[in-house]
Amino acid sequence: MQSFALHGEAPSLLGTLEAPIPRVWWNSGRQPAAIRAVVWTAAMLVVIAGVARLDYVTGPNFSFALFYLIPVAIAGWRGGRIAAMITASVSAALWILAYVASEPLVPLWVSVWNGSTRFVMFAAIGIGVDYASRTLVRGRAAVARAERQLASLADGISDGLFETDARSTITFANPAFAHLCGFASPADLVGKSLVDLALPELRAGVASQLNRLLANGVFGEVLLRARHPGGEMVTLQVRASPLAREGSVVGARGVEHDPPPPGELD
């Protein structure tokens, strides 16, 4: 169990799911989809021609099916279904030519049959990869829409919402929570310690309360007496719970309601 400290380093607000992919002109997203499909199809056809040449030189004793399949899959991923069908057709045709050239005694219909089965295999893989690519794109778009909707909801709600890491550093805050803490925007608040918002003489007690909340693993309340940057005193009634990811507590999330009248705090 990690404990809240009085000070913490500010993490980035949003993590990344994967490392950024280097972008070149044909993969920069600035070109129309049709142009990118043509470029990737042409590139994979060049690769397939090289594979067919090696297939012919090495003869029928060495199988090159996998090396035909890889550019077909790449064409399906980058160029789409039509690119997958084109590269699958060319791969099957070149395989038949290489096979017939190296095995002239084999009946032509046998070579055509074997080439047709390879075309079906290549096309199925290419179309399947294209389907997976489209599904991934739709999934990412759905996640982006959901994040925008949640952000809009958090921005419009009157209660203050926040999240912290295990060091009490605020990693997310909506505009209402930033305003309650005396800051102009969430950007001014993110990266600051929730504990450090309290008056200096009360910080140790606030850290202890937050640690107990995480240790118990249940929803709890913390009264946070703080001073705005402008000097105004404020009491925040923070209702927080542990924030867990993959079974481990990584911080806390909570909501701040308007504090009750002084008589109700007794």
Side-chain angles (χ1 to χ4, degrees):
M1 176 69 66
Q2 299 188 58
S3 298
F4 278 89
L6 297 184
H7 300 278
E9 298 178 356
S12 60
L13 178 57
L14 295 176
T16 56
L17 295 179
E18 57 185 8
I21 300 175
R23 292 182 178 270
V24 287
W25 72 271
W26 62 80
N27 191 34
S28 64
R30 293 190 295 270
Q31 290 73 35
I35 295 179
R36 293 199 300 273
V38 170
V39 170
W40 279 103
T41 303
M44 292 304 102
L45 288 176
V46 172
V47 174
I48 291 169
V51 171
R53 174 62 179 173
L54 291 175
D55 193 9
Y56 169 73
V57 171
T58 56
N61 294 327
F62 293 91
S63 176
F64 273 73
L66 176 64
F67 300 101
Y68 286 106
L69 186 60
I70 291 175
V72 172
I74 294 176
W77 183 265
R78 294 296 187 181
R81 187 173 306 174
I82 295 178
M85 294 298 293
I86 292 174
T87 52
S89 302
V90 173
S91 294
L94 291 180
W95 180 89
I96 292 175
L97 293 177
Y99 187 76
V100 170
S102 59
E103 291 286 343
L105 299 180
V106 176
L108 181 60
W109 71 268
V110 174
S111 300
V112 172
W113 171 260
N114 291 337
S116 299
T117 59
R118 279 166 171 75
F119 166 74
V120 172
M121 178 182 66
F122 296 155
I125 294 297
I127 293 175
V129 170
D130 169 62
Y131 177 79
S133 174
R134 293 173 184 270
T135 301
L136 180 61
V137 170
R138 288 194 296 267
R140 288 177 174 174
V143 170
R145 286 195 301 270
E147 289 179 344
R148 289 194 297 270
Q149 291 172 352
L150 288 175
S152 177
L153 178 63
D155 289 347
I157 197 170
S158 59
D159 291 332
L161 305 176
F162 70 92
E163 287 185 358
T164 74
D165 63 10
R167 298 181 178 181
S168 81
T169 303
I170 298 172
T171 58
F172 165 79
N174 70 340
F177 188 72
H179 176 74
L180 290 169
C181 294
F183 292 87
S185 70
D188 298 326
L189 185 58
V190 169
K192 299 184 182 298
S193 171
L194 180 64
V195 175
D196 287 350
L197 295 179
L199 297 175
E201 63 272 18
L202 302 178
R203 291 174 184 172
V206 171
S208 177
Q209 292 181 68
L210 292 171
N211 286 330
R212 286 197 302 271
L213 182 146
L214 293 184
N216 294 333
V218 295
F219 195 87
E221 294 189 3
V222 177
L223 286 177
L224 184 66
R225 287 183 57 79
R227 186 185 301 275
H228 283 184
E232 179 185 354
M233 294 292 298
V234 62
T235 298
L236 304 178
Q237 185 181 12
V238 176
R239 300 179 180 180
S241 62
L243 175 61
R245 293 192 178 98
E246 298 181 354
S248 300
V249 175
V250 297
R253 63 158 52 106
V255 59
E256 200 287 332
H257 293 278
D258 291 334
E264 297 185 17
L265 292 177
D266 299 333

